[in-house]
Amino acid sequence: MTGRRPAARGRGTGRSTGHHGELLQGRFRCPVLDECPGLVTVPIGTVGSVALFTPDAGAGVRIRTDGDARDLTKARRAAEATLAHLRAEGAPGFTGGELRVTRTAPVGLGLGSSTADVLAAVRAVADCCGVELDADTVARLAIGAEGASDPLWSDRPILFAHRHGHVIEELGPELPRMFLVRCMLGGPVDTLALAPAGTGHVGEYEELRALLRRAVADGDAPGVAAVATRSARLNQSRHYKPDLDRLIAAGERAGALGVQVAHSGNVAGLLFAHTLSPDRVRRAADCVRADGFRVDVEPLPIGGAV
């Protein structure tokens, strides 16, 4: 635990933003293990989850939802694990409660919906207890609940071991500013059903890691986009997207710097220079849509100081 605030009254609230897939994902050398899978996400504030936790004297956590409660199984596990952790620390005076989660991220597209649910649930339970949990504890609870977790608790670009729960490398204070145009390359995906990134490209992923580190340090948006595009292509052997090459070509014709994808989903993003006007980016998005892609023409600003 990081520390305590005055105990919350009644219910607790927790929030988490989602993300827009990854800039880089693969296997890397790391200081904790010889090598392990890792990723660098693209944080966005337009999708996410809000959790409300109402404590009571019952046993366990009950889900209250207008949809399918099975979608929130990981969030319930996270809430129960957080309760157990805090009780071991002597914090809560209750044994269960009701969890309600509202999300704005569609499930299965690679927007971090399950991690956002989980983190929001962890924070809601902690809020009930007047406790602020440190990042390592939050990561451990999240991975325990869902098997793999995105680093949505970080406001800095990091290479994160999403199946093991540790930071492989902090890449810098912030990503360079860019515009992102969302595209779709298929339907929902069962993220955990996909195999982890293989071991065959560790050397190439280490090269991309070095290039990304340098691009972040230099504020080099084209350099970041080049890494993202190469990582998207390498991921084809793990989660094949039939239209990826065609999207990359359409993006090049429209003036995009490159393409990033959800490596475990089917959302993709065309990356544009932040020096372009939003109207110019919208016109570029219209061109890509004319090539037959499902495109959200409203550009999302990414990077810069959070």
Side-chain angles (χ1 to χ4, degrees):
M1 290 189 295
T2 298
R4 295 196 182 183
R5 306 183 309 275
R9 296 180 179 180
R11 65 187 183 186
T13 303
R15 293 177 172 82
S16 175
T17 60
H19 65 81
H20 201 277
E22 291 77 37
L23 293 172
L24 176 61
Q25 182 170 341
R27 290 191 70 86
F28 303 89
R29 301 184 185 96
C30 75
V32 177
L33 303 169
D34 180 44
E35 62 180 51
C36 65
L39 51 75
V40 182
T41 57
V42 182
I44 56 173
T46 55
V47 296
S49 299
V50 177
L52 299 177
F53 182 74
T54 304
D56 58 35
V61 174
R62 300 174 307 285
I63 296 294
R64 181 184 175 192
T65 178
D66 296 328
D68 190 341
R70 290 175 297 180
D71 287 345
L72 296 172
T73 299
K74 297 172 185 176
R76 177 179 54 76
R77 287 202 299 261
E80 291 176 341
T82 305
L83 269 178
H85 170 76
L86 293 175
R87 285 181 66 81
E89 298 285 336
F94 46 87
T95 57
E98 179 183 86
L99 179 70
R100 186 179 185 95
V101 178
T102 302
R103 67 163 70 100
T104 58
V107 175
L109 299 184
L111 295 174
S113 60
S114 62
T115 296
D117 291 346
V118 163
L119 293 182
V122 168
R123 288 166 174 163
V125 173
D127 186 52
C128 265
C129 302
V131 170
E132 294 181 10
L133 296 172
D134 60 77
D136 287 343
T137 300
V138 171
R140 177 174 57 79
L141 291 168
I143 289 174
E146 60 173 339
S149 178
D150 300 304
L152 301 181
W153 38 264
S154 176
D155 59 0
R156 297 164 63 90
I158 62 172
L159 179 59
F160 183 65
H162 53 292
R163 291 179 179 265
H164 298 280
H166 60 269
V167 174
I168 300 172
E169 181 183 357
E170 291 197 13
L171 296 168
E174 61 188 35
L175 292 172
R177 292 168 59 196
M178 289 175 278
F179 283 117
L180 183 149
V181 171
R182 180 178 300 165
C183 309
M184 292 303 304
L185 294 174
V189 174
D190 183 355
T191 299
L192 290 179
L194 293 174
T199 59
H201 295 292
V202 173
E204 188 160 12
Y205 283 121
E206 281 295 315
E207 180 181 346
L208 290 177
R209 171 185 179 180
L211 291 172
L212 183 59
R213 181 194 306 120
R214 187 179 311 141
V216 169
D218 293 343
D220 176 11
V224 169
V227 169
T229 304
R230 180 58 187 155
S231 185
R233 283 188 160 126
L234 284 172
N235 190 59
Q236 289 289 74
S237 63
R238 173 175 177 259
H239 174 37
Y240 184 71
K241 298 174 174 62
D243 290 323
L244 178 62
D245 285 337
R246 197 164 66 86
L247 178 63
I248 292 171
E252 289 175 350
R253 290 192 296 271
L257 301 175
V259 173
Q260 62 82 217
V261 301
H263 289 63
S264 300
N266 282 323
V267 72
L270 293 168
L271 301 172
F272 290 88
H274 82 278
T275 52
L276 299 177
S277 70
D279 282 342
R280 169 66 181 82
V281 178
R282 291 186 191 100
R283 290 195 298 271
D286 281 334
C287 292
V288 176
R289 175 180 283 174
D291 280 331
F293 291 97
R294 288 181 288 165
V295 178
D296 183 350
V297 297
E298 190 59 33
L300 297 173
I302 63 170
V306 177

